[in-house]
Amino acid sequence: MAEFITDLFLVTNKDNDAGTFYLDTTMKGHDGNLYESSWRHKGKRLIGFKKSAEDEYVVTDIVVVTDDKDGPDDYAPIPITKDTREKGLKKHTVCYSRGHRQSSEKAITEIYLVNPSKNEAVPPYFTAVSETVNDITICFKTEAIPKIKRPAPSTPPKEQSQLLNTAPKVSVSSGIDGVPFQINPKFNTSSGGSDPLIANMLFVSPEDIQRKYQYSFDLEREVTR
């Protein structure tokens, strides 16, 4: 599987930084310096980039604009060099866009430099940046980003599903199933008979209670005198 470019920058010289790639020559070995030097101003500008499978963001496009123009929206310019913090290019600005790995459809996997004045042509399947810098054209290749597919929830096989649907129904019974429920006849008030307990109860009036349980307290009064 192709590795995608995750960062892009300009430098004045190569170093031994692991995982960093530098373009100091064109496809046919000609000078890959992007700085438009003059006899008064000498300089060197190389494209550097990184590839990392752990980075969530990838480079999706590269453009070059002249200094009198702004780069496209959502594109990051490279105004200075990464190593010396000097002005990036003399008359141009390299801009690039980055997107999230899982939401982007394509990303850049390779960057080459070609010099048309040296009879170098853009290779097949590569996109050439419209603006040339110091007679050099930046071209890049994009590839589709594979997406991580989550496994679909498993479903039972057809035979197992049919077996579950045709399984016999098992009824659950308790220990009192079949026992008739009856009210004690003593508490059954719906029948015409009278309750013997209620029939033997006598009605007592307040006067009867007063006569039966009246007490004069005469003895207590004699003792306390």
Side-chain angles (χ1 to χ4, degrees), residues 28 44 62 68 79 86 89 99 118 146 157 160-162 184 191 198 207 210 215:
K28 292 186 177 181
K44 190 174 186 179
I62 302 173
D68 58 342
E86 298 177 73
L89 299 179
K118 304 292 185 181
Q160 182 179 355
S161 178
Q162 292 177 349
N184 193 317
S191 61
I198 299 177
E207 291 79 7
Q210 182 69 21
Y215 184 71

Side-chain angles (χ1 to χ4, degrees), residues 33-38 41 43 45 89-92 132-135:
N33 183 15
L34 298 179
Y35 195 76
E36 297 163 317
S37 301
S38 64
H41 299 90
R45 300 292 185 268
L89 299 179
K90 188 175 181 181
K91 300 178 181 179
H92 298 82
T132 60
V133 182
N134 199 25
D135 295 331

Side-chain angles (χ1 to χ4, degrees), residues 11-12 48 55 148 185 207:
V11 295
T12 58
D55 198 324
I148 300 176
E207 291 79 7

Side-chain angles (χ1 to χ4, degrees), residues 6-189:
T6 56
D7 195 12
L8 186 70
F9 43 86
L10 293 173
V11 295
T12 58
N13 285 289
K14 297 190 298 182
D15 59 23
N16 296 323
D17 186 12
T20 302
F21 303 86
Y22 300 97
L23 299 178
D24 57 348
T25 61
T26 64
M27 289 186 60
K28 292 186 177 181
H30 298 288
D31 186 14
N33 183 15
L34 298 179
Y35 195 76
E36 297 163 317
S37 301
S38 64
W39 68 275
R40 288 186 177 182
H41 299 90
K42 299 291 184 180
K44 190 174 186 179
R45 300 292 185 268
L46 306 178
I47 286 183
F49 58 88
K50 286 189 175 184
K51 293 183 177 183
S52 174
E54 299 178 356
D55 198 324
E56 294 183 357
Y57 290 86
V58 290
V59 178
T60 58
D61 193 21
I62 302 173
V63 298
V64 175
V65 296
T66 56
D67 280 347
D68 58 342
K69 296 180 180 179
D70 295 328
D73 293 339
D74 299 328
Y75 279 64
I78 308 177
I80 58 177
T81 58
K82 183 179 180 180
D83 52 352
T84 61
R85 317 301 290 178
E86 298 177 73
K87 188 178 187 305
L89 299 179
K90 188 175 181 181
K91 300 178 181 179
H92 298 82
T93 301
V94 178
C95 305
Y96 67 100
S97 64
R98 296 180 78 200
H100 196 277
R101 189 183 294 265
Q102 292 303 317
S103 60
S104 301
E105 295 295 330
K106 294 182 178 182
I108 297 176
T109 57
E110 298 293 341
I111 302 176
Y112 288 163
L113 302 178
V114 296
N115 191 331
S117 65
K118 304 292 185 181
N119 296 322
E120 295 182 0
V122 177
Y125 309 109
F126 276 70
T127 300
V129 175
S130 58
E131 290 284 341
T132 60
V133 182
N134 199 25
D135 295 331
I136 294 175
T137 299
I138 302 171
C139 56
F140 56 88
K141 182 181 180 181
T142 59
E143 294 188 28
I145 301 176
K147 304 301 179 183
I148 300 176
K149 296 182 179 180
R150 297 182 178 179
S154 59
T155 56
K158 184 177 181 181
E159 295 79 4
Q160 182 179 355
S161 178
Q162 292 177 349
L163 181 61
L164 293 175
N165 293 332
T166 58
K169 305 298 181 180
V170 179
S171 60
V172 180
S173 61
S174 64
I176 62 173
D177 287 349
V179 178
F181 179 77
Q182 293 181 347
I183 300 176
N184 193 317
K186 183 173 63 174
F187 302 103
N188 187 2
T189 59

Side-chain angles (χ1 to χ4, degrees), residues 184-219:
N184 193 317
K186 183 173 63 174
F187 302 103
N188 187 2
T189 59
S190 62
S191 61
S194 60
D195 191 334
L197 294 177
I198 299 177
N200 294 331
M201 293 180 63
L202 298 177
F203 176 76
V204 181
S205 65
E207 291 79 7
D208 295 335
I209 296 174
Q210 182 69 21
R211 286 194 300 269
K212 185 175 181 179
Y213 299 104
Q214 184 178 8
Y215 184 71
S216 62
F217 295 96
D218 292 338
L219 179 60

